[in-house]
Amino acid sequence: MQRPINKSLQEYARGIAGGLLFSLPLLYTMEVWWAGFTSHPWRLLLYVVATYILLIGYNYFGGLRHDTGWADVLIDSVEELGLGMLLSSAMLLVLGRVTFDMPASEFIGKIIIEAMTVAIGVSVGTAQLGGGDGDTGTGGAASASGKTRAGEASKNRIHFMGQVVIALCGAVLFAANVAPTEEVVLIASEISSWNLLGLALISIALGALILFYSDFTGARRFAQTGGVSAVVIGTVITYSIALASSAIILWFFGRFEGMSLIVCLAETVVLGLAATLGASAGRLLLQTE
Amino acid sequence: MKKKKLEKNWLEWAVFVIGLVLVIGALGYLAYDGATLGDAPPRLEVRTGTPEQHPHNYLVPVTVINHGDQTAEGVQIEVILEQGGEEKERSEFSIAFVPRGSTREGWVAFQTDPRAADQVKARVLGYEKP
């Protein structure tokens, strides 16, 4: 059954709101605009492909419509990328960051680099904002899909890959807002080893805290298996995901170029705090229900 | 996940088609651009325009064009007024970024009238890799 137009409009509105909400800091960050024209086209291409894969993962495991098939997931992800590009073009034009007398490489580079975070925001916004009543409360078909969703969600509970993908999305969404700034490099090059160790320990502790001991929505879902080993494993996985996504994002924004290994590591740990927050909170907050 | 028929209304199809065009267009452009792009360092051309007289100084418009394959960051530009083979006044300014293929514009200010000078010499002093 097709959904009525106003229902789709509502969903797109949610997506647009979410896209702008999550990516506004990046749209207003000059280092991101610069990365748009200093990055090599291959790197931007890789960024688009990686974002698309991430969107597919998120839409499959964490998205709104669990009763949909693979084709829907692929199509939705393309829609989100497209909306991301439209939104970022509109914003950058209004902000005067792109103009029509620019060479195509600068124009397109800036739009693409901003559009990717907007697209993840659109995806998260579509699934998370508004939500509940409007979706499941209207008619038989919708509530039936609601049931399917609940069924899928209980399947997801034990789905390890799903948790990893959603944690990755959360980490990227949070870390991408901090990674392009000069501040990460500045902190990393001035920080002492002890402070760095402290930062790593704080990140790990925060990850554990958010995942297992706080009263965040759905926290019990992860704690229910219980035991010290579950806590340790969950925290290690969260922090690994956080560090890996930090390193990838930093590499993407060219933050590793010409840096010594120890500074690269320091940058990763510094950004790791933001990524851990995203990964652990993301796992709880970015999920439906 | 079970196999289901796609149920989309015209609006959703329209958004999908626009999205698909944008994504394929972007990927195609990036692939083309990446394949045709060399790795020549930034090559900057500096042009000076017609001097303008203002109440407190004289302004000379300067245009900088990057013909290279890479972005130049922190570009330092020097403009010298020469008369009778010697330097009368020099002025300089810097531009944060000149991306490849881009044009950036600015002005340098002088106390002496550039129109009276024999020659207005402009050159790039240097720039860094971003």
Side-chain angles (χ1 to χ4, degrees):
Chain A
M1 200 189 91
Q2 287 189 4
R3 275 176 310 161
I5 297 293
N6 63 347
K7 193 68 78 224
S8 335
L9 270 178
Q10 195 186 19
E11 215 174 275
Y12 289 130
R14 254 187 234 156
I16 290 168
L20 291 179
L21 205 61
F22 289 111
S23 63
L24 210 64
L26 276 184
L27 284 164
Y28 281 76
T29 304
M30 56 188 179
E31 286 91 343
V32 184
W33 312 327
W34 297 340
F37 56 74
T38 55
S39 303
H40 194 275
W42 291 133
R43 198 179 276 204
L44 289 176
L45 189 76
L46 196 67
Y47 191 43
V48 177
V49 173
T51 308
Y52 185 59
I53 293 171
L54 205 64
L55 283 176
I56 292 172
Y58 179 70
N59 287 335
Y60 185 89
F61 293 114
L64 186 65
R65 285 175 259 150
H66 277 295
D67 56 329
T68 50
W70 269 111
D72 274 297
V73 169
L74 296 180
I75 288 175
D76 284 353
S77 305
V78 170
E79 278 183 20
E80 283 153 8
L81 277 183
L83 279 178
M85 287 185 195
L86 286 178
L87 281 176
S88 89
S89 329
M91 284 304 294
L92 291 174
L93 274 171
V94 170
L95 295 174
R97 290 308 101 198
V98 295
T99 50
F100 291 108
D101 54 5
M102 275 179 181
S105 57
E106 187 182 352
F107 188 89
I108 294 177
K110 279 182 182 170
I111 287 175
I112 286 178
I113 205 162
E114 295 279 10
M116 296 305 107
T117 331
V118 183
I120 297 179
V122 169
S123 180
V124 172
T126 312
Q128 298 302 316
L129 301 180
D133 294 353
D135 266 331
T136 50
T138 49
S143 62
S145 84
K147 264 181 218 142
T148 333
R149 242 171 70 193
E152 286 282 342
S154 67
K155 225 187 279 173
N156 274 356
R157 199 173 299 174
I158 48 167
H159 212 304
F160 178 73
M161 265 311 288
Q163 301 296 341
V164 171
V165 167
I166 289 167
L168 201 60
C169 274
V172 169
L173 199 60
F174 272 59
N177 278 316
V178 186
T181 59
E182 302 275 354
E183 282 83 347
V184 175
V185 180
L186 188 74
I187 294 171
S189 49
E190 289 181 355
I191 201 166
S192 77
S193 305
W194 292 115
N195 286 16
L196 199 62
L197 185 66
L199 204 56
L201 292 177
I202 288 173
S203 309
I204 295 169
L206 269 176
L209 190 77
I210 295 173
L211 270 184
F212 299 100
Y213 296 111
S214 67
D215 279 324
F216 266 113
T217 343
R220 204 177 294 161
R221 193 182 301 165
F222 300 97
Q224 65 186 358
T225 44
V228 179
S229 62
V231 174
V232 173
I233 292 171
T235 309
V236 167
I237 292 171
T238 304
Y239 197 54
S240 316
I241 292 172
L243 285 185
S245 41
S246 300
I248 293 170
I249 295 171
L250 284 168
W251 171 81
F252 175 76
F253 282 106
R255 291 300 182 213
F256 285 166
E257 268 157 45
M259 296 289 183
S260 68
L261 190 63
I262 187 67
V263 177
C264 294
L265 183 70
E267 284 178 34
T268 311
V269 173
V270 168
L271 187 63
L273 182 68
T276 309
L277 282 176
S280 46
R283 264 165 82 171
L284 303 172
L285 299 177
L286 298 188
Q287 303 193 85
T288 27
E289 276 188 282
Chain B
M1 250 176 224
K2 50 192 175 277
K3 187 86 184 144
K4 258 192 159 187
K5 235 186 105 205
L6 291 176
E7 293 159 349
K8 290 196 163 296
N9 57 41
W10 63 266
L11 180 68
E12 293 175 329
W13 279 120
V15 173
F16 169 64
V17 169
I18 293 170
L20 192 66
V21 168
L22 283 175
V23 171
I24 289 178
L27 290 178
Y29 173 77
L30 288 176
Y32 165 79
D33 195 30
T36 51
L37 184 68
D39 54 357
R43 275 192 299 124
L44 298 186
E45 179 196 340
V46 186
R47 285 183 202 155
T48 51
T50 324
E52 298 159 27
Q53 185 172 1
H54 289 273
H56 305 293
N57 53 18
Y58 298 90
L59 292 181
V60 179
V62 180
T63 308
V64 182
I65 306 163
N66 184 352
H67 297 288
D69 290 331
Q70 290 175 33
T71 297
E73 183 176 355
V75 181
Q76 298 280 335
I77 288 149
E78 179 191 60
V79 184
I80 297 173
L81 300 184
E82 273 189 1
Q83 197 157 26
E86 60 186 60
E87 178 181 321
K88 264 187 76 183
E89 194 181 345
R90 71 182 281 286
S91 202
E92 62 173 74
F93 78 116
S94 63
I95 304 177
F97 283 96
V98 187
R100 64 189 161 101
S102 285
T103 304
R104 291 286 187 269
E105 286 166 352
W107 289 270
V108 279
F110 288 105
Q111 292 304 314
T112 46
D113 190 348
R115 287 168 296 190
D118 298 335
Q119 203 180 8
V120 180
K121 270 173 120 174
R123 72 176 188 113
V124 174
L125 295 176
Y127 36 83
E128 64 178 294
K129 194 180 167 182

